[in-house]
Amino acid sequence: FLSGMVTLSLSREDSEEFGDGVDRILKGMDMVRQKQADYLVISGGSGELIGPVISESTLLRAFAVRFGIPQEKILIDANSRNTRENALMTKVLLESNNLKKTALITSAFHMPRAMGCFKAVGLSPDPIPVDYQVSRPVKKDFRNYFPKAATLSRFSSLVHELVGIIVYGLRGYAVY
């Protein structure tokens, strides 16, 4: 699965501070526990361009081990900084461990770009979207007509993904 759920500046190896997207690791751990997957592959470095920050995948490996996933069942890419690098490094991990079949767990809104990146490097994982960003219809109420911070945050994520899809497509990082 792809990382992107830990606030690194607030986390330590024995205490992770999770944000949106925590469903990603929980789903991956559940698949290993249920024997739907042999390994948990965690892809993601710090995302920081400079500075000695611990990688997110290292923190998430420690989290998974604390919650019962055997360390020998966890493979990590601790260096990738973006989705394209996640795909490249995951391919290396899979090939070096002679693994053929894989699933890609990431947030539903991120799945199209992530799948595009994995296809561009020659991988065809089964998509497993999680962390859906939708809400249930609510009763009509005058407060529904006022902007909400959560809506602005979702809009920001949408813009980020749309720009990412366009840029990754133009640069050849993803195949759609």
Side-chain angles (χ1 to χ4, degrees), residues 16 23 34 73 88 117 161:
E16 303 79 12
D23 307 32
Q34 302 284 334
K73 294 285 190 179
L88 290 166
C117 289
E161 279 306 309

Side-chain angles (χ1 to χ4, degrees), residues 7 24 26 34 64 67-68 73 76 86 94 109 113 136 144:
T7 305
R24 298 173 187 188
L26 297 177
Q34 302 284 334
F67 284 88
K73 294 285 190 179
I76 68 165
N86 291 150
L94 295 174
F109 70 88
R113 182 161 56 109
R136 300 181 199 278
N144 294 336

Side-chain angles (χ1 to χ4, degrees), residues 15-163:
S15 175
E16 303 79 12
E17 187 63 38
F18 290 105
D20 289 342
V22 70
D23 307 32
R24 298 173 187 188
I25 185 143
L26 297 177
K27 180 64 175 177
M29 290 168 47
D30 190 48
M31 289 181 71
V32 171
R33 268 197 229 109
Q34 302 284 334
K35 301 199 184 325
Q36 297 169 331
D38 294 327
Y39 292 92
L40 179 63
V41 178
I42 306 172
S43 184
S46 74
E48 300 294 329
L49 296 177
I50 57 172
V53 179
I54 190 165
S55 77
E56 189 168 353
S57 58
T58 301
L59 288 172
L60 292 171
R61 176 179 50 197
F63 174 78
V65 168
R66 279 199 322 276
F67 284 88
I69 304 299
Q71 186 152 341
E72 63 273 9
K73 294 285 190 179
I74 304 170
L75 304 174
I76 68 165
D77 146 35
N79 298 312
S80 62
R81 297 167 296 171
N82 57 48
T83 307
R84 177 175 187 257
E85 291 179 8
N86 291 150
L88 290 166
M89 298 306 293
T90 297
K91 182 176 183 176
V92 170
L93 274 175
L94 295 174
E95 288 173 351
S96 65
N97 287 280
N98 201 29
L99 300 172
K100 305 288 184 220
K101 188 169 168 48
T102 187
L104 174 60
I105 303 170
T106 193
S107 297
F109 70 88
H110 184 52
M111 187 60 75
R113 182 161 56 109
M115 283 296 291
C117 289
F118 277 71
K119 286 179 183 176
V121 299
L123 296 175
S124 298
D126 293 331
I128 301 179
V130 295
D131 186 35
Y132 288 87
Q133 298 289 317
V134 296
S135 57
R136 300 181 199 278
V138 293
K139 293 189 287 186
K140 295 206 186 256
D141 185 323
F142 76 94
R143 293 174 289 190
N144 294 336
Y145 296 98
F146 293 101
K148 295 176 183 63
T151 304
L152 294 173
S153 176
R154 288 183 185 145
F155 183 74
S156 176
S157 295
L158 171 67
V159 170
H160 176 87
E161 279 306 309
L162 290 175
V163 169

